[in-house]
Amino acid sequence: MPETSADEPGRSTVLLVRRTFLEDALRRAVLRRSGVTYTSGTEVSGLCFATTARPRRVIGVRTPRGRLLADLVIATGGRRDRTFGWLREGGAAAPWRFEESSRLTMYSRFYQLRPGAVPGPLDDPISAGGIHDGFAAKLLLAGGKVFSVSFGILPGDPELQALREPAFFAAAAGRLPATAAWVDPHRSRPITPRPLAIGGLRNRLLRLVAQDGTPVVHGLHLAGDSLCLTNPVFALGVSVAFEQAVIIAEAVRRHPADLAAQMLDVDKAVTERIAPQFDAVLAQDRTRIERWRAAIASPAVADDPSGPTRHQLVRELRRVA
Ligand SMILES: Cc1cc2nc3c(=O)[nH]c(=O)nc-3n(C[C@H](O)[C@H](O)[C@H](O)COP(=O)(O)OP(=O)(O)OC[C@H]3O[C@@H](n4cnc5c(N)ncnc54)[C@H](O)[C@@H]3O)c2cc1C
């Protein structure tokens, strides 16, 4: 783990760890605290409310084993979190919600370096590649001798969706300067039987206030992807989730008993500290979508010797067909 460069203003630290490693470390840290009971394998099926008055006051959650009552509930159900629906079913006013597709389909494949093989070139300590005119191609180190190669395209791109087929994927990866040396069959071999497709990526921000800024509920906060879901390509999810945890802790410390003030405090911080990051992702996604649509619609431009344009790559794939 790097030392303290993230403390310097404007600098951030990248942690390259497997998700399971991070989750295990967090679980151990939580369990070391006294007074914590960790219950896994219990599905939450809804919220419990104190009265029917508005704003609704959440007093716990429903589970198949009965109600679990709490002074405060924090919903962290991830990208498929159902809190919005539970609030509406429970008679709460509609929370503020913005959602938009990232318009990105990814095809990804893992490779392993052969024994004794020297790794290929990188653009930074962990990756190579980036965004081209009409597609993206990225190589990412995954620990040990394993690395992934991913292509990003517009969903339904009539030609580049061929990348889901192993032969086309291999041809494209072998053509790109960022990945060609790495996927040379003498240097590495694929360890996933075929490219894995990732789609349905969305950007979503949910705030527990109505359009006029008044809280729609008391005794409930959101954290993680349930509050702010961003295109995973930006790798922001975990750090934004930690920021949300800090926001909630600060608000609870400042207003332990005044639930209305607590909700407003959280929403103010979300607006000031989370929404700008969300907006930045949204803006970059929109710019990329526009450029990629233009690249698909445009007639062939001159070939680019430093890396294939979309038209060059399509030509390459047609040769394989
Ligand atoms: C392909 C991909 C790559 C990514 N790469 C990165 C990256 O490099 N860096 C980064 O920071 N972020 C990355 N992210 C995003 C990151 O994974 C998420 O932001 C993060 O996992 C959000 O954490 P979470 O706890 O909110 O949700 P999750 O990690 O999704 O956890 C939600 C948990 O809640 C449980 N749950 C849901 N509903 C219920 C219920 N009703 N009852 C009980 N349990 C329930 C789920 O089973 C799950 O265990 C990536 C995401 C994807 C899809």
Side-chain angles (χ1 to χ4, degrees):
M1 192 184 293
E3 291 184 351
T4 53
S5 58
D7 293 343
E8 296 169 33
R11 292 200 62 177
S12 53
T13 299
V14 174
L15 288 184
L16 183 62
V17 293
R18 284 180 196 279
R19 183 182 167 136
T20 45
F21 177 89
L22 184 65
E23 289 188 349
D24 187 55
L26 284 174
R27 183 177 307 188
R28 283 165 196 256
V30 168
L31 290 177
R32 270 201 301 273
R33 300 180 75 101
S34 60
V36 172
T37 306
Y38 181 87
T39 312
S40 65
T42 306
E43 190 194 349
V44 173
S45 54
L47 298 168
C48 305
F49 297 96
T51 64
T52 52
R54 281 186 171 183
R56 309 304 308 281
R57 163 77 164 101
V58 170
I59 54 165
V61 295
R62 294 202 305 266
T63 80
R65 298 193 305 180
R67 300 195 318 162
L68 275 177
L69 299 182
D71 295 326
L72 186 64
V73 171
I74 300 177
T76 58
R79 55 193 289 136
R80 294 195 181 80
D81 184 66
R82 288 181 276 159
T83 305
F84 183 88
W86 291 335
L87 284 172
R88 298 299 282 142
E89 281 161 28
W96 187 104
R97 179 164 74 165
F98 180 86
E99 185 163 6
E100 191 168 286
S101 167
S102 292
R103 304 286 304 148
L104 183 68
T105 297
M106 287 166 65
Y107 298 113
S108 218
R109 202 165 189 195
F110 284 90
Y111 291 76
Q112 187 167 37
L113 285 173
R114 295 189 183 279
V118 182
L122 292 170
D123 297 336
D124 59 50
I126 58 165
S127 72
I131 299 187
H132 298 247
D133 77 324
F135 70 100
K138 192 90 178 159
L139 177 139
L140 200 58
L141 298 187
K145 290 185 171 300
V146 176
F147 62 93
S148 66
V149 173
S150 303
F151 287 96
I153 63 166
L154 273 184
D157 180 314
E159 281 102 3
L160 292 189
Q161 57 186 350
L163 290 167
R164 65 186 165 205
E165 298 302 332
F168 292 111
F169 190 98
R175 171 71 179 80
L176 283 150
T179 51
W182 286 86
V183 299
D184 179 333
H186 297 294
R187 187 173 272 181
S188 67
R189 63 179 183 91
I191 52 172
T192 31
R194 52 181 301 114
L196 307 165
I198 303 170
L201 302 172
R202 307 188 71 72
N203 295 311
R204 183 184 65 219
L205 187 64
L206 180 62
R207 292 163 46 200
L208 295 179
V209 294
Q211 295 297 333
D212 65 1
T214 54
V216 297
V217 67
H218 287 168
L220 174 74
H221 296 298
L222 304 170
D225 284 359
S226 61
L227 183 140
C228 179
L229 177 69
T230 46
N231 180 348
V233 164
F234 293 89
L236 269 182
V238 173
S239 36
V240 169
F242 279 130
E243 180 74 1
Q244 292 157 16
V246 170
I247 286 172
I248 294 169
E250 287 171 351
V252 170
R253 201 175 304 124
R254 276 197 287 264
H255 311 284
D258 185 345
L259 295 180
Q262 197 186 97
M263 296 304 295
L264 288 172
D265 200 356
V266 166
D267 190 58
K268 182 169 181 289
V270 166
T271 311
E272 290 171 358
R273 286 151 59 181
I274 306 294
Q277 302 189 60
F278 178 79
D279 291 343
V281 167
L282 205 61
Q284 290 185 69
D285 266 348
R286 286 176 177 173
T287 304
R288 171 188 50 80
I289 293 165
E290 222 170 275
R291 288 197 181 142
W292 285 8
R293 281 189 178 138
I296 293 176
S298 75
V301 289
D303 286 359
D304 180 353
S306 66
T309 61
R310 180 181 175 281
H311 283 292
Q312 279 171 276
L313 188 60
V314 167
R315 248 189 355 249
E316 203 73 38
L317 298 185
R318 284 199 185 123
R319 237 175 258 145
V320 178

